[in-house]
Amino acid sequence: MVFLIIIVAIVAWVILAYNRLVSLRNQVDNSWRQIDVQLKRRHDLIPNLVEAVKGYMQFERDTLTQVVEARAKAVNAPDQASRMAAETQITTGMGKLLAVMENYPQLKADENVLKLQEELTTTENQIAYARQAYNDVVLALNTRIQSFPANLIASNFGFKDAEYFKGAPEEQAVPKVDLSMTTPRA
């Protein structure tokens, strides 16, 4: 009888551990889909923004081209890793585009551009939040997969570590700030 209770307890634990891993894997997939929704919104906004600023920014074609090409790569990415890399390029390109737009007073006064810029900023914030939520769930899944004794279940049922969404290397660089009050001498 004791042997039967032990077997039932082990089977129950295996079932619970397996179901927890499945739940975490599904949360990772759901979190990626939430990022996907925001990325789709950004992909829809980019052509509108590029069209709105194209006439003003005659000398900034490289920046516009980089954003459009990165968007095309992201939309046509064959797998999640390629998509993450392309999305990182879009983030970098959009940062450059928004910075370059500051040099054009006409753009800052254009109501359509301002509205698109506001929508894009909101979308970027939502993407950042969704990426954070995704990485939190990836952390939970990966921790569970790597922790004993759940790792025994994970390895036997083919659970794999999920990949984190990483920022571009240039986004990780520490900005240089000079707050000195001295002025350079001529």
Side-chain angles (χ1 to χ4, degrees):
M1 185 58 121
V2 173
F3 181 72
L4 184 60
I5 292 173
I6 292 172
I7 295 298
V8 167
I10 291 172
V11 168
W13 175 81
V14 168
I15 291 170
L16 290 173
Y18 177 82
N19 287 342
R20 178 68 179 144
L21 288 167
V22 168
S23 174
L24 287 169
R25 183 178 57 199
N26 289 339
Q27 287 177 34
V28 167
D29 290 343
N30 180 54
S31 294
W32 177 253
R33 297 300 164 245
Q34 296 304 316
I35 292 172
D36 216 21
V37 167
Q38 299 307 322
L39 295 176
K40 170 76 169 103
R41 177 181 158 92
R42 176 167 70 175
H43 294 168
D44 292 346
L45 288 171
I46 288 172
N48 295 333
L49 184 64
V50 168
E51 280 302 313
V53 302
K54 199 185 318 185
Y56 293 109
M57 300 174 65
Q58 295 300 322
F59 303 106
E60 307 295 344
R61 293 283 179 211
D62 290 343
T63 303
L64 293 173
T65 302
Q66 179 187 1
V67 170
V68 171
E69 288 174 355
R71 178 189 178 272
K73 284 181 189 175
V75 169
N76 298 317
D79 55 36
Q80 188 171 341
S82 301
R83 180 115 185 254
M84 284 183 188
E87 292 300 339
T88 299
Q89 287 180 335
I90 289 176
T91 300
T92 302
M94 290 306 300
K96 288 178 184 175
L97 179 61
L98 293 175
V100 166
M101 286 172 58
E102 290 297 316
N103 296 331
Y104 293 85
Q106 314 95 309
L107 282 176
K108 292 199 256 185
D110 187 302
E111 191 173 316
N112 189 33
V113 171
L114 288 174
K115 182 180 177 207
L116 287 168
Q117 190 173 7
E118 183 179 321
E119 285 184 41
L120 197 56
T121 300
T122 300
T123 301
E124 291 297 326
N125 290 337
Q126 291 170 342
I127 289 170
Y129 177 78
R131 285 177 177 171
Q132 180 182 354
Y134 172 81
N135 282 343
D136 289 346
V137 176
V138 167
L139 173 66
L141 175 64
N142 291 351
T143 300
R144 179 70 63 165
I145 287 172
Q146 297 168 13
S147 298
F148 182 81
N151 63 345
L152 301 173
I153 303 301
S155 63
N156 285 320
F157 288 100
F159 287 89
K160 304 279 187 233
D161 283 351
E163 189 174 333
Y164 287 99
F165 207 116
K166 299 176 185 111
E170 53 270 10
E171 291 175 0
Q172 298 171 4
V174 177
K176 293 181 182 179
V177 178
D178 183 7
L179 298 177
S180 66
M181 300 299 281
T182 60
T183 56
R185 295 183 185 175

